[in-house]
Structure formats: C-alpha cells, structure tokens
C-alpha cells in the first residue's frame, strides 16, 4: 500500500455519540499496524486551531472501546467558520507534519472538513458519529444502536409506572429533524403511538388512536414523540391538549434528553466503529479524500461527503406499517 501519507490526525467533533472512542481506537491501531504515525486532536476544530495534538500509539487507546462519550473531547468552534480560523488550523497541521485527518462526527463536522479541503486540498475522510442516524449514504451511524437500546430500556421502565397507575405517558426522544430513534424505539418498546417529523399524524388522529386504545381495554398507553415532531409546539402542549379533550386519561410527560447520548456503546456500535476506522485509514493511504465511511447491506463502503451532507435519510415506511399494526 504505497502512499506519501506519513502522519494522520484523528478527532471527534459535534455532539458526542457512543462508539466514538471505539472509532478513535480503530484509527490509532490501524495506523500502528500499517506503520503510519497518528496524532489525536483534542477538542475538535478548536484544538486544531490551537495545535492541541498528542501522539498516539496502540497502547494509548487501551480500555476505551467500552467507554461512552469521547476521550478526545468535543467543542463548538466559531473560529473555524472563518477563513482566518481555518488558516490557523492549516498552519498548525503543517507545523505538526500532519498529512491528512479523519473526522468523526455529523453533518456540521463534515461541512467544516469539506470547506477546509476546498481551500487547502488537504486529504480528509469522515466517519459518521451521531445518534440520530441522519447521515445519508450509510444505513447506520455510530451511536444510533446504543441510543436506541437506551431509549427502549427507559420506556420499559416507564411502562411499569404507566401500568401501575393507569397513565398515559408522552415520552420525548431525540430526533430534531428525523424520527429514526422514535420509530424504532416505539416498535421495540411496544408503544401505542409514535409521533415523528416525517409523518404528520395530526391532533385529531392522535385523539382517535387514544380513544381506540381505551376502548380496546388498554388501561395505560405510551406515546413516543420525536423532539422535532410538528403536531404541537412541544410535548407539554400535547399533554395539555389530550387532558383537555380526553379527561379520562391521567397524562404524564417524560423527556429523556441527553441520557440518550451516554453509556457504553453496544456490541454493534463497537464492531461498526472498528470496521469504519480501519476503512478510513486504508482509504487515506490509497490516496482517497472527501469520502465518508458508511455501511450498506452489511458491507463497509465509501460515499462522497458532499452527497452525504446534501442527501436526506428516509424513514422506513414498512416499519411505520408494522407500528400501526402492533398498536392495535
């Protein structure tokens, strides 16, 4: 595998997601295996501008595959949005002898990397790390599976309380623009209804669904709501609406929030991160750039980052149908 690349940097950027550490570990150990120097950049693009680099070897990433969050930290960096800030980052990379970098993050992180490549022709490869599973060009993003399992476990516990007190619970989960977590968790946890941005259920249909549930003999109900759902201004407004129109329900709201991002990554995310990290380093050494590592049909693939950013993931219509049938 001939290449002029001698030193690769790796960093995490944007919101943290389970599996990021496993991906960092994979990049570092693949570099060690292929006799390429690897540096870690702390605090994402902010650390790049400040030259916050640390040399990594295979032993530097011991015992992190099971850890949530990111040991390299992440930070917002308004300076990198400016041409002057990107010039400072470039100067630091050149000073450190870095020839290419692997960015682990979401679409915002990828946009920054593409802009940087456009200005300096600097080799970049992306690994999609976000629990929302909202990156086009890959079936799964790092952290989605773990977050999904966290949500299902939480809903299982909430159902215990809902059943004990004959209550209706609105459970809000992450998903500002997409409903992948809500839909999959709703089916996996046996929710009576799922509200997602891609499907405008409407308030009247929601009431009809809850009435049917009550009439069929259900004494308690769970409604999973993606935070970006457009039916109401927010989940608390939904609660008030149902209480006003269906006073037979004792309604509660549970917002899971950032707990969905934390925790040890699942086996699936650990394996996926390991495979993606290997592919990212190999792609760089093959002279490739501006590509995102993804997974399609269980195979690790490379996909143009610009298309990944521009594309929109689609909700699984078959899963919507299954959800409707299961809520009977």
């Amino acid at each position: 595998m001939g290449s002029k690349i001698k030193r690769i940097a790796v960093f995490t950027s944007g919101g943290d997601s389970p599996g990021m550490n496993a991906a960092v570990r994979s990049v570092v150990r693949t570099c060690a295996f292929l006799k390429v120097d690897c540096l870690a950049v702390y605090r994402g693009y902010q650390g790049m501008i400040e030259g916050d680099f640390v040399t990594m070897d295979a032993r530097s990433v011991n015992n992190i595959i099971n850890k949530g969050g990111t040991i390299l930290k992440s930070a917002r960096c308004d300076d990198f949005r400016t041409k002057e800030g990107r010039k400072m980052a470039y100067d630091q990379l050149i000073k450190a002898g870095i020839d290419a970098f692997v960015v682990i993050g979401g679409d915002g992180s990828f946009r920054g990397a593409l802009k940087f490549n456009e200005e300096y022709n600097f080799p970049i490869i992306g690994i999609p790390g976000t629990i929302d599973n909202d990156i086009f060009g890959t079936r799964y993003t790092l952290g989605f599976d773990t977050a999904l399992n966290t949500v299902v476990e939480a809903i299982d516990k909430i159902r215990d309380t809902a059943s004990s007190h004959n209550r209706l619970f609105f459970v809000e989960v992450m998903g500002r623009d997409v409903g992948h977590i809500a839909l999959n968790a709703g089916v996996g946890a046996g929710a009576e209804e799922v509200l997602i941005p891609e499907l405008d259920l409407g308030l009247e249909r929601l009431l009809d669904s809850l009435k049917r549930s009550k009439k069929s003999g259900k004494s308690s109900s769970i409604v999973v709501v993606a935070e970006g759902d457009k039916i109401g201004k927010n989940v608390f407004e939904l609660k008030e609406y149902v209480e006003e129109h269906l006073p037979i329900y004792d309604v509660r709201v549970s917002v899971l929030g950032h707990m969905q991002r934390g925790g040890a990554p699942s086996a699936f995310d650990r394996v996926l991160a390991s495979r993606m990290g290997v592919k990212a380093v190999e792609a760089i050494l093959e002279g490739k750039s501006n590509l995102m590592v993804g997974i399609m049909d269980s195979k690790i693939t490379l996909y143009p980052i610009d298309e990944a950013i521009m594309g929109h993931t689609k909700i699984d219509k078959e899963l919507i149908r299954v959800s409707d049938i299961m809520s009977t």
Side-chain angles (χ1 to χ4, degrees):
M1 192 178 289
S3 173
K4 296 180 180 179
I5 303 294
K6 302 300 180 185
R7 181 169 289 183
I8 295 174
V10 60
F11 63 97
T12 54
S13 177
D16 63 291
S17 64
M20 280 185 162
N21 285 326
V24 169
R25 173 182 180 269
S26 179
V27 169
V28 171
R29 291 199 168 174
T30 304
C31 284
F33 181 80
L34 297 174
K35 305 296 190 294
V36 178
D37 291 341
C38 187
L39 273 69
V41 182
Y42 281 88
R43 295 175 295 117
Y45 290 117
Q46 188 65 47
M48 190 180 293
I49 288 174
E50 297 174 8
D52 193 359
F53 308 144
V54 176
T55 301
M56 306 287 277
D57 60 26
R59 302 285 73 79
S60 302
V61 289
N62 282 350
N63 304 318
I64 69 169
I65 192 172
N66 60 319
K67 296 184 182 301
T70 165
I71 63 165
L72 299 186
K73 311 298 182 184
S74 185
R76 289 189 177 277
C77 184
D78 291 333
D79 290 339
F80 196 79
R81 299 176 185 271
T82 68
K83 195 165 186 176
E84 295 75 18
R86 292 189 293 273
K87 177 62 165 61
M88 292 172 64
Y90 177 75
D91 290 342
Q92 293 285 9
L93 290 171
I94 297 304
K95 181 180 177 182
I98 296 170
D99 303 308
F101 67 66
V102 176
V103 51
I104 306 168
D107 59 351
S109 303
F110 289 170
R111 290 180 193 277
L114 272 183
K115 187 67 176 177
F116 189 77
N117 172 270
E118 177 186 312
E119 293 175 347
Y120 297 104
N121 194 30
F122 199 87
I124 61 164
I125 294 290
I127 293 178
T130 168
I131 68 168
D132 288 338
N133 205 39
D134 60 348
I135 303 294
F136 192 74
T138 182
R139 181 66 183 85
Y140 299 107
T141 58
L142 288 182
F144 173 66
D145 184 72
T146 305
L148 188 55
N149 282 295
T150 297
V151 170
V152 169
E153 183 179 356
I155 294 174
D156 286 347
K157 294 178 179 178
I158 290 171
R159 187 177 289 282
D160 290 343
T161 293
S163 299
S164 298
H165 297 276
N166 296 337
R167 285 174 178 163
L168 162 64
F169 267 87
F170 283 106
V171 182
E172 184 185 90
V173 302
M174 285 185 168
R176 183 181 58 201
D177 301 310
V178 295
H180 297 299
I181 290 178
L183 179 57
N184 283 269
V187 173
E192 279 65 41
E193 198 60 74
V194 178
L195 307 182
I196 55 177
E198 297 90 339
L199 188 65
D200 187 1
L201 182 65
L203 289 170
E204 290 307 313
R205 187 183 155 189
L206 173 62
L207 290 180
D208 289 342
S209 175
L210 293 174
K211 288 175 183 177
R212 285 196 304 271
S213 292
K214 200 73 171 177
K215 189 176 181 179
S216 69
K218 293 183 179 181
S219 59
S220 63
S221 292
I222 301 288
V223 177
V224 180
V225 186
E227 61 182 328
D229 177 66
K230 305 299 192 298
I231 291 182
K233 291 181 180 178
N234 55 57
V235 70
F236 295 98
E237 184 181 85
L238 280 176
K239 171 184 179 294
E240 293 173 0
Y241 185 86
V242 171
E243 285 179 328
E244 179 182 349
H245 292 83
L246 290 177
I248 56 174
Y249 274 108
D250 181 11
V251 189
R252 296 289 188 274
V253 169
S254 182
V255 178
L256 299 188
H258 285 80
M259 69 174 289
Q260 296 162 84
R261 283 189 181 175
S266 65
F268 180 88
D269 277 328
R270 298 183 199 193
V271 173
L272 182 60
S274 300
R275 295 175 70 188
M276 285 182 165
V278 171
K279 188 68 172 180
V281 174
E282 290 178 344
I284 286 176
L285 296 183
E286 290 167 359
K288 297 174 181 176
S289 181
N290 292 15
L291 298 171
M292 177 194 76
V293 183
I295 183 169
M296 285 292 186
D297 299 324
S298 299
K299 294 182 180 180
I300 297 299
T301 60
L302 291 171
Y303 194 81
I305 288 184
D306 58 346
E307 294 183 24
I309 292 172
M310 295 296 292
H312 298 283
T313 59
K314 294 182 179 180
I315 207 70
D316 188 338
K317 292 183 179 179
E318 171 66 14
L319 202 54
I320 292 175
R321 191 174 73 87
V322 169
S323 175
D324 288 342
I325 293 172
M326 291 298 102
S327 64
T328 301

